[in-house]
Amino acid sequence: MSAADLSARLDGYGTGVILRFDQIRAETLDQLARAWADDQAAVTDALDRLAAMVQRTTDPDDDTGWHPAAVDAARDDLETVAGLDAAEVTLRHDTAIALAGELQEAAGATFTARTREAA
């Protein structure tokens, strides 16, 4: 892994920093595909539960409101059923320094940081 595998940038509103690491997403999808190949019914059921919770929280006609705990529980269930690893990465020293520089630059460019500086 190199610093090029990681990136930090401002979100569309300039209020937050988005950290991206494509390798974790790729590994997670690979694990999910392998788990699905081993037990399609269990993984599909877990994905259906997660989809139902996500849809429920975003549907404007749903008067039950936002349920972050239910989404988290459905996500945890999918991770357990599919045997997904934690989304973690160990960085080499040089990669950590490069990423810290990008994060510092992006954080300083956020709207919140600029507003604090102006005050």
Side-chain angles (χ1 to χ4, degrees), residues 1-6 20-24 27 88-96 99:
M1 173 184 42
S2 70
D5 295 327
L6 297 160
R20 183 176 178 124
F21 184 46
D22 288 333
Q23 184 178 340
I24 289 176
E27 288 173 0
E88 297 177 340
V89 63
T90 301
L91 303 177
R92 293 186 331 247
H93 177 74
D94 59 332
T95 303
L99 181 59

Side-chain angles (χ1 to χ4, degrees), residues 64-115:
T64 58
W66 177 252
H67 298 284
V71 173
D72 288 345
R75 193 178 296 127
D76 291 345
D77 180 48
L78 174 60
E79 289 174 349
T80 300
V81 168
L84 300 177
D85 292 337
E88 297 177 340
V89 63
T90 301
L91 303 177
R92 293 186 331 247
H93 177 74
D94 59 332
T95 303
I97 289 172
L99 181 59
E102 278 191 43
L103 284 168
Q104 191 68 28
E105 182 178 331
T110 63
F111 177 75
T112 304
R114 291 191 307 263
T115 304

Side-chain angles (χ1 to χ4, degrees), residues 28-88:
T28 299
L29 290 173
D30 288 348
Q31 289 173 345
L32 182 60
R34 282 193 297 276
W36 185 80
D38 291 341
D39 191 348
Q40 292 179 10
V43 173
T44 300
D45 289 346
L47 283 167
D48 286 344
R49 284 189 294 275
L50 178 59
M53 288 300 108
V54 171
Q55 176 60 32
R56 187 170 199 201
T57 62
T58 59
D59 186 344
D61 296 327
D62 182 7
D63 61 358
T64 58
W66 177 252
H67 298 284
V71 173
D72 288 345
R75 193 178 296 127
D76 291 345
D77 180 48
L78 174 60
E79 289 174 349
T80 300
V81 168
L84 300 177
D85 292 337
E88 297 177 340

